[in-house]
Amino acid sequence: MTASPRPIFAQDLPVQADYESLKVAAEWYAVLQDTEADSRQRAAWQHWLDARPEHRRAWAHVEAVSRRFTLLRNDGEREAAEKAVQVASRRVPSRRQAAGRILALGGVGIMGWLAWRHTPLPAVVTAWRSDYATGIGEQRDIVLADETRVWLNTRSAIDVHFSQDQRLLTLADGEILVETGKDARQRPFFVDTRYGRLQALGTRFTVRQSDDDVLLAVYDGQVRIQNLAGRVALVRAGEQTRYTADAISMANPADPARQAWSRGVILAENLPLVDLIAELGRYHAGYTGVDPRVADLRVVGRYPANDRDRTLAMLERDLPIRVQRTLPWWVTLEPR
């Protein structure tokens, strides 16, 4: 099958391609996957591809999503990558040992590992360097030496550094829920993020880190924020806020949905459909798109985070939408 001029990985893509171009690109991809596709169809596809820059961006996006799945079709690569992820998702005494075990896979194993770096399973380089990590759709509940409980959401990774003077978690990626333990030595408890440091003051709280900011929601006690610019704020139980390296937003009422994920649930309380699908997409590989005509439909309910098909069936039952499956890994929600 003819491809675009160069391989394009997910990180090369624009944040959002337009919906109609993505829809047509996926349809063309399905057509060209057919072994009976003829030269006229390929010529028509090329004409469409060259017509607008948006078409080429959409095609690159479809290719990138497809690549994540086609890499898994080779049994040798899949087995090697699975072993690598197993190494990544366990706590290991030495990161060099972890690297050595991955390198020891050898041959196809190395190719599988490198290939999976360009898939969403999980952010593997971050994962194998971290003390604890999860892949797509995986959630973990761990208990630390001081009886602190930490839940890791999908695609998350943390490092744990306990010393004589402090207890420190470093959130490398993703989202965590923390319920601090009562330390006999009364050491302060910190969470470092890319945009600043949090100090827990006898608390239960969630921290979600993205490229743009960090979202903190506090459910018990208080959490002190100090961002990289030195700005300080105290967030109390029942409040949430966002902060960046330079600024801390005013606190708002905490969203109960922010901790529902620890029970495997996406909680929607009058949530726009497009926002629910974006949250669902964090737990699943592939693409799930929403037609702009139904994007703002309001959704209320509890949905299983790790069962996309069941969630989509529930939405199709309750809303005036239909689920369109153009490819096994490409799904869109459209008006019924």
Side-chain angles (χ1 to χ4, degrees):
M1 171 172 145
T2 306
S4 53
R6 70 176 182 87
I8 302 178
F9 292 115
Q11 61 265 34
D12 297 318
L13 299 176
V15 173
Q16 181 67 50
D18 79 89
Y19 174 82
E20 286 300 325
S21 296
L22 286 170
K23 179 180 177 181
V24 175
E27 291 170 350
W28 270 121
Y29 196 95
V31 167
L32 297 183
Q33 286 291 300
D34 190 336
T35 55
E36 296 181 1
D38 58 30
S39 58
R40 288 182 302 174
Q41 290 172 315
R42 294 181 182 279
W45 163 74
Q46 189 67 55
H47 177 75
W48 170 84
L49 186 68
D50 294 338
R52 298 177 61 190
E54 292 84 354
H55 297 174
R56 191 167 290 277
R57 286 197 295 269
W59 181 257
H61 193 113
V62 174
E63 280 192 319
V65 176
S66 171
R67 187 177 292 112
R68 298 168 184 170
F69 285 81
T70 55
L71 287 170
L72 305 183
R73 294 175 187 169
N74 181 292
D75 287 341
E77 287 189 354
R78 182 173 63 246
E79 181 181 358
E82 286 174 351
K83 289 180 180 178
V85 171
Q86 288 169 10
V87 170
S89 63
R90 288 198 301 267
R91 193 179 199 281
V92 291
S94 165
R95 295 173 193 163
R96 286 188 180 180
Q97 290 175 12
R101 292 175 68 177
I102 293 168
L103 293 173
L105 294 171
V108 172
I110 292 298
M111 295 305 295
W113 174 257
L114 293 176
W116 273 45
R117 290 186 62 195
H118 300 289
T119 77
L121 291 173
V124 286
V125 174
T126 297
W128 73 258
R129 289 176 175 172
S130 298
D131 292 331
Y132 299 94
T134 55
I136 284 185
E138 182 186 6
Q139 293 163 330
R140 297 187 66 186
D141 175 5
I142 59 176
V143 179
L144 304 180
D146 66 339
E147 302 301 318
T148 290
R149 292 186 69 183
V150 183
W151 291 260
L152 280 75
N153 203 358
T154 178
R155 293 192 234 180
S156 300
I158 61 170
D159 287 319
V160 180
H161 312 275
F162 280 19
S163 69
Q164 294 294 323
D165 302 320
Q166 67 178 18
R167 298 168 291 164
L168 172 64
L169 302 185
T170 300
L171 179 58
D173 197 23
E175 183 172 23
I176 56 174
L177 167 64
V178 180
E179 191 173 273
T180 55
K182 294 182 179 179
D183 185 44
R185 287 180 279 176
Q186 298 185 325
R187 294 169 294 177
F189 190 101
F190 300 106
V191 177
D192 278 353
T193 69
R194 66 183 55 156
Y195 295 129
R197 169 167 285 193
L198 307 175
Q199 181 176 1
L201 304 172
T203 53
R204 178 181 174 94
F205 61 99
T206 59
V207 188
R208 178 168 171 174
Q209 181 168 264
S210 70
D211 291 339
D212 297 325
D213 59 23
V214 175
L215 172 60
L216 166 69
V218 181
Y219 300 98
D220 186 31
Q222 302 178 90
V223 175
R224 180 181 182 270
I225 302 171
Q226 182 171 353
N227 69 4
L228 297 181
R231 300 182 185 276
V232 174
L234 189 65
V235 183
R236 297 173 174 84
E239 296 179 340
Q240 68 180 38
T241 190
R242 296 179 182 272
Y243 66 93
T244 65
D246 301 314
I248 303 174
S249 300
M250 290 185 62
N252 295 305
D255 182 355
R258 287 271 50 86
Q259 60 175 339
W261 60 261
S262 64
R263 304 187 297 274
V265 171
I266 298 175
L267 184 62
E269 296 184 352
N270 200 35
L271 191 68
L273 178 61
V274 67
D275 291 348
L276 174 63
I277 294 305
E279 185 68 17
L280 182 66
R282 299 176 62 218
Y283 298 85
H284 302 275
Y287 171 87
T288 305
V290 181
D291 190 306
R293 291 173 291 176
V294 296
D296 292 329
L297 289 175
R298 313 306 285 192
V299 183
V300 176
R302 297 165 59 91
Y303 299 92
N306 293 312
D307 190 339
R308 185 181 69 167
D309 289 343
R310 183 181 167 200
T311 293
L312 295 181
M314 293 168 68
L315 293 170
E316 193 171 32
R317 178 197 65 198
D318 297 335
L319 299 174
I321 64 171
R322 67 186 182 97
V323 178
Q324 176 67 35
R325 291 178 170 83
T326 305
L327 293 156
W329 37 266
W330 193 279
V331 178
T332 53
L333 306 186
E334 302 175 346
R336 189 177 297 164

